[in-house]
Amino acid sequence: MTELASSTREGALPVAALTQGEEWVWRGLVQFVGETSRTLTTSLQASVGLTLLEFDLLGFLYDEHDHCMVMNELAERIQITPSGITRMVDRLVARGLVERRNHPGDGRRYLAVLSVAGVELYEKTTPLHHEAIRQQFLSHLEPTERVALGALWHRLLKTPE
């Protein structure tokens, strides 16, 4: 079976192949996200030595009122495995940007807490990161396209506007 889209398995319904336009929408999205993520990571690594995911982790912690989150919840938010979040937090702990603490209500869980140095780095780096996002992405969209794309993401991600 060389063509997954048009193949059938015993007892399974046939699956329609993507049209050329559908294929381009999907592959374009995957390629754009990959290229943009690599470019933003390169920019962050050159300026502050962080990957895009590490910067996102700092941002999620920064946005919490107490600058902390349960490690498993943080992993879900960043969309990486629990072991992946452990390794990432370990790297940030070693740099003094994050602290790991026992959860006060559950000894089996851990909290990731943004340190003072992490807050300072995040606040210093955010304007540079926002400018890179504007250059890499937003500058290619008309204002009406930004609004439409924002509404589309809300619908696809099932989040309230």
Side-chain angles (χ1 to χ4, degrees), residues 105-123:
D106 185 349
R108 298 168 296 163
R109 300 169 81 190
Y110 292 94
L111 299 173
V113 183
L114 193 60
S115 69
V116 171
V119 168
E120 291 172 355
L121 181 68
Y122 184 77
E123 289 177 345

Side-chain angles (χ1 to χ4, degrees), residues 53-54 56-58 60 73-80 85 88:
L53 277 179
E54 290 168 341
D56 286 345
L57 181 148
L58 297 182
F60 285 126
E73 293 171 10
L74 191 54
E76 288 175 18
R77 187 87 53 95
I78 295 179
Q79 299 179 359
I80 62 174
I85 199 72
M88 187 182 301

